């Protein structure tokens, strides 16, 4: 026993440290396959894309141009226009989707008969193929034979061009009531608004289910105590539900912002299927991701497209960091 103790005294690691080292190495061994996949298919492509962005890259490797691609992007009016369209898209989808989802979740959280059926119905759009559902909505928005225009005609409203209309929605509404809306206040195009409607329909079920999960974690004792003190429905919602749902709201807002800036599939399908050019009429639905694809695939400017991708990454990262910094101050944990 004395001999073992002397050996341990001479060893630079104690028994506990050796066990922790062994457990750590075993843990790294378990995660090594997943780490290898992440490195091979995520990190290395990102680093290689950054390398491409520093070159005048076409089909084959081009000459090194440093930050010239980034400078050209920042001086390109098409990039700033696409960023404007992206901001319209984000502002028109994220808050509206969250608001509708919160109301639906709050209603479904009550003692409603057939609750599971309603939850399934609202969640169905999210598990539907994006390409298939986008194509169906293009048919709904068809200016000639679409059911939406048929409904509008039935109630005495002139049919709309929808996916083929480049005019701003505020401008269209202003002209309908005889107001002359300036171009700077025209708002997002009607084509972009049509895409926003699809996005809200598609994601509202997912957000509703997440909000329902958040509501189920709020202790019922808080509601019971507040009711004893005379709190009404609005007081319960304002002072208990909203604060304790803030972690869920914070999570959904973060994910929605990131996803909205990266949106591509449905915009690509809807603009192409509508019979117009990629990016919609007069490029009014050309978000930054669509512009990046157009530069990469149609114009074969790999370095330029990679520069757009990294600038978009910087924008998303900056917004996420700001949200994490200022949003966490308004999050209340139980």
């Amino acid at each position: 026993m004395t001999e073992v103790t002397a050996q341990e005294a001479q060893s630079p690691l104690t028994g506990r440290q050796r066990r922790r080292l062994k457990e750590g190495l075993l843990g790294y061994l378990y995660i090594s396959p997943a780490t290898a996949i992440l490195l091979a298919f995520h990190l290395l492509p990102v680093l290689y894309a950054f390398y491409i962005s520093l070159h005048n890259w076409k089909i084959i490797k081009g000459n090194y141009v440093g930050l010239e691609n980034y400078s050209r992007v920042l001086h390109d009016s098409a990039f700033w226009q696409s960023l404007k369209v992206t901001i319209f898209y984000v502002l028109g989808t994220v808050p509206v989707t969250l608001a509708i989802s919160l109301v639906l979740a709050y209603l479904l959280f009550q003692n409603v008969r057939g609750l599971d059926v309603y939850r399934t119905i609202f969640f169905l759009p999210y598990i539907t193929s994006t390409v298939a559902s986008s194509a169906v909505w293009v048919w709904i928005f068809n200016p000639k034979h679409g059911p939406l225009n048929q409904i509008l005609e039935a109630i005495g409203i002139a049919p709309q061009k929808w996916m083929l209309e480049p005019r701003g929605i505020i401008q269209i509404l202003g002209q309908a009531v005889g107001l002359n809306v300036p171009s700077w206040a025209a708002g997002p195009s009607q084509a972009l608004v049509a895409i926003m409607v699809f996005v809200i329909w598609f994601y509202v079920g997912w957000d509703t289910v997440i909000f329902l999960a958040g509501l189920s974690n709020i202790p019922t004792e808080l509601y019971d105590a507040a009711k004893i003190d005379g709190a009404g429905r609005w007081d319960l919602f304002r002072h208990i539900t909203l604060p304790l749902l803030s972690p869920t709201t914070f999570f959904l807002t973060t994910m929605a912002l990131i996803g909205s800036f990266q949106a591509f599939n449905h915009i690509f399908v809807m603009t192409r299927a509508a019979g117009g050019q990629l990016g919609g009429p007069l490029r009014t639905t050309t978000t930054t991701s669509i512009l990046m694809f157009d530069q990469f695939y149609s114009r074969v400017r790999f370095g330029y497209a990679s520069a757009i991708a990294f600038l978009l990454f910087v924008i998303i990262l900056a917004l996420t960091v700001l949200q994490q910094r200022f949003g966490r101050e308004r999050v209340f944990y139980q």
Side-chain angles (χ1 to χ4, degrees):
M1 189 70 178
T2 307
E3 182 180 354
V4 174
T5 305
Q7 291 177 354
E8 290 182 352
Q10 294 176 358
S11 175
L13 297 177
T14 63
R16 175 180 293 183
Q17 289 175 332
R18 285 197 298 271
R19 285 195 301 271
R20 293 183 61 181
L21 178 61
K22 183 179 179 180
E23 291 174 356
L25 292 176
L26 187 61
Y28 283 116
L29 178 63
Y30 285 145
I31 67 173
S32 59
T35 304
I37 292 175
L38 289 174
L39 288 175
F41 297 102
H42 289 270
L43 182 59
L44 290 181
V46 168
L47 296 177
Y48 191 60
F50 178 71
Y51 175 74
I52 292 176
S53 72
L54 302 177
H55 292 76
N56 183 20
W57 204 293
K58 297 276 185 174
I59 299 297
I60 59 176
K61 179 179 177 180
N63 57 303
Y64 178 79
V65 295
L67 299 178
E68 181 180 338
N69 284 325
Y70 292 91
S71 177
R72 291 171 60 192
V73 171
L74 293 175
H75 290 85
D76 188 356
S77 59
F79 170 75
W80 294 108
Q81 173 62 23
S82 71
L83 192 59
K84 176 183 175 182
V85 172
T86 304
I87 293 174
F88 274 140
Y89 175 84
V90 172
L91 295 178
T93 56
V94 175
V96 177
T97 305
L98 289 174
I100 295 175
S101 303
L102 178 58
V103 172
L104 288 176
Y106 191 72
L107 293 175
L108 291 175
F109 194 68
Q110 313 304 316
N111 292 324
V112 180
R113 184 175 298 177
L115 181 60
D116 293 337
V117 176
Y118 288 115
R119 289 181 177 180
T120 303
I121 292 174
F122 284 121
F123 195 69
L124 274 177
Y126 186 75
I127 62 176
T128 306
S129 168
T130 309
V131 175
S133 55
S134 299
V136 171
W137 275 87
V138 170
W139 169 73
I140 293 175
F141 286 122
N142 188 292
K144 294 183 179 180
H145 311 293
L148 185 55
N149 270 347
Q150 293 178 5
I151 295 173
L152 292 180
E153 288 182 313
I155 60 178
I157 300 177
Q160 303 295 314
K161 295 182 180 179
W162 298 115
M163 294 297 302
L164 302 177
E165 179 59 76
R167 289 182 300 163
I169 189 66
I170 299 177
Q171 185 181 28
I172 294 175
L173 295 176
Q175 291 176 354
V177 296
L179 296 178
N180 186 17
V181 179
S183 57
W184 60 266
S189 69
Q190 191 181 71
L192 185 62
V193 171
I195 295 176
M196 292 178 188
V197 171
F198 164 78
V199 172
I200 294 170
W201 168 84
F202 188 84
Y203 284 102
V204 73
W206 161 259
D207 289 358
T208 300
V209 170
I210 301 301
F211 271 129
L212 281 170
L215 286 169
S216 64
N217 288 327
I218 299 177
T220 56
E221 294 83 0
L222 297 177
Y223 291 109
D224 296 335
K227 288 178 182 178
I228 294 175
D229 292 336
R233 285 183 175 271
W234 172 245
D235 295 322
L236 295 175
F237 182 77
R238 180 183 176 185
H239 297 291
I240 296 178
T241 304
L242 283 181
L244 295 183
L245 265 184
S246 55
T248 305
T249 306
F250 180 74
F251 165 76
L252 288 175
T253 304
T254 302
M255 299 303 296
L257 279 176
I258 295 174
S260 297
F261 273 93
Q262 296 176 334
F264 176 79
N265 286 354
H266 52 279
I267 302 176
F268 177 86
V269 172
M270 294 184 75
T271 54
R272 282 294 180 87
Q277 63 177 345
L278 178 64
L282 300 181
R283 315 291 289 184
T284 56
T285 62
T286 302
T287 59
T288 307
S289 58
I290 293 293
L291 177 67
M292 177 180 60
F293 174 83
D294 182 54
Q295 295 293 325
F296 184 91
Y297 183 79
S298 301
R299 304 180 186 273
V300 198
R301 301 166 69 183
F302 298 156
Y304 193 77
S306 298
I308 294 176
F310 270 90
L311 287 174
L312 181 62
F313 164 75
V314 170
I315 293 172
I316 295 174
L317 179 62
L319 289 175
T320 304
V321 170
L322 288 175
Q323 187 181 13
Q324 293 285 332
R325 180 174 180 180
F326 297 106
R328 285 188 178 277
E329 299 175 357
R330 296 171 175 83
V331 175
F332 300 93
Y333 295 97
Q334 299 180 32

